Amino acid sequence: MGDFFTLGTVGIGLILAVLADRVKYEKFSKTVIFMPMAISFVGAGVIWKFVYDYKPLGVNQIGLLNQIVVLFGGEPKAWLIQGPWLNNFALIFVGIWIWTGFCMVILSAAYKGIPEELLDAGRVDGANEWQVFIYIILPYMKSTIAVVATTMIVNVLKIFDIVYVMTNGNYGTEVIANRMYKEMFQYRNYGRASAIAVVLFLLILPVIIINLRRMKGEKS
């Protein structure tokens, strides 16, 4: 599921960075998209827990998502206890909602650094917008994309707040950091909690090393 989070945040952030540069209300649109980053992850978890809230059919829905489903004639669903796939996608969507703005801002700065003459030269040579994006924009921004993707991978490996607030790891949504917290503070298994912390560190370490080597290779 971490792959979906990373692809979602970086992919959508990149698309929004390119599109926002072409509208007149660029600053306003970026502010709105970045705004979820101003909310604490615990606060975001509480907000989305209410959005996903479920009441049986025939009872007034207080969850926005189920209210929309009922409005269009569907049956309300318990989004957070349906099963591991739907549960995890619901949580991943919250993470994407929070972090996409961050990715967009970083990638937008890199996009604005592309020389306009380079883009115009590609268009003059007959490249359409998709070809310009694939063969000019992406290669020029690959180092920034790699850094942002690395940051998102680290974030998803150590994610805790959203899972703890919304499901506490139940219904097939357990993550490493939440399990470490449970072992440490609920079950008092200090040795196991320490072992999980070491595993988490070892999972993150290769990603950091690869990124550092890539950055050294670019400088040399």
Side-chain angles (χ1 to χ4, degrees):
M1 291 297 180
D3 296 337
F4 292 103
F5 173 83
T6 304
L7 289 173
T9 51
V10 178
I12 298 174
L14 178 59
I15 293 171
L16 292 175
V18 175
L19 294 179
D21 187 68
R22 305 187 178 192
V23 297
K24 295 180 180 179
Y25 45 90
E26 176 185 358
K27 292 183 179 179
F28 175 77
S29 61
K30 286 183 176 179
T31 301
V32 172
I33 297 169
F34 187 79
M35 196 172 295
M37 280 295 297
I39 305 173
S40 70
F41 297 156
V42 174
V46 172
I47 291 171
W48 281 94
K49 192 172 183 179
F50 277 112
V51 172
Y52 292 138
D53 189 77
Y54 164 77
K55 298 294 182 185
L57 186 64
V59 180
N60 289 332
Q61 302 293 326
I62 65 172
L64 176 62
L65 185 56
N66 274 323
Q67 183 60 51
I68 294 174
V69 171
V70 171
L71 185 64
F72 286 95
E75 293 188 4
K77 293 187 177 184
W79 301 98
L80 296 178
I81 61 175
Q82 280 291 312
W85 279 98
L86 185 57
N87 296 351
N88 283 284
F89 275 116
L91 297 179
I92 289 171
F93 182 82
V94 179
I96 291 174
W97 178 74
I98 295 173
W99 282 102
T100 295
F102 170 83
C103 296
M104 177 199 65
V105 170
I106 304 300
L107 294 172
S108 177
Y111 177 72
K112 287 183 178 297
I114 301 176
E116 190 66 31
E117 297 81 5
L118 186 62
L119 299 175
D120 292 338
R123 296 186 181 104
V124 169
D125 288 340
N128 57 38
E129 291 301 319
W130 176 250
Q131 291 171 326
V132 169
F133 180 77
I134 295 296
Y135 297 109
I136 299 178
I137 295 176
L138 284 184
Y140 197 93
M141 295 177 59
K142 64 179 182 180
S143 59
T144 306
I145 293 173
V147 172
V148 174
T150 301
T151 304
M152 293 301 103
I153 292 172
V154 173
N155 281 332
V156 76
L157 285 174
K158 66 184 183 66
I159 194 167
F160 168 76
D161 316 69
I162 295 172
V163 176
Y164 178 76
V165 171
M166 298 185 70
T167 63
N168 196 25
N170 297 317
Y171 316 112
T173 61
E174 188 69 283
V175 292
I176 297 176
N178 194 66
R179 190 68 197 180
M180 179 180 66
Y181 175 86
K182 286 182 178 179
E183 296 290 346
M184 183 73 177
F185 297 104
Q186 292 185 14
Y187 308 140
R188 304 296 180 182
N189 294 327
Y190 303 115
R192 186 174 296 176
S194 300
I196 294 174
V198 172
V199 170
L200 180 60
F201 172 74
L202 292 176
L203 288 173
I204 293 175
L205 189 60
V207 179
I208 298 175
I209 292 174
I210 292 172
N211 198 45
L212 289 175
R213 287 181 176 176
R214 184 192 55 76
M215 293 175 68
K216 287 183 179 179
E218 291 180 354
K219 291 180 180 180
S220 60

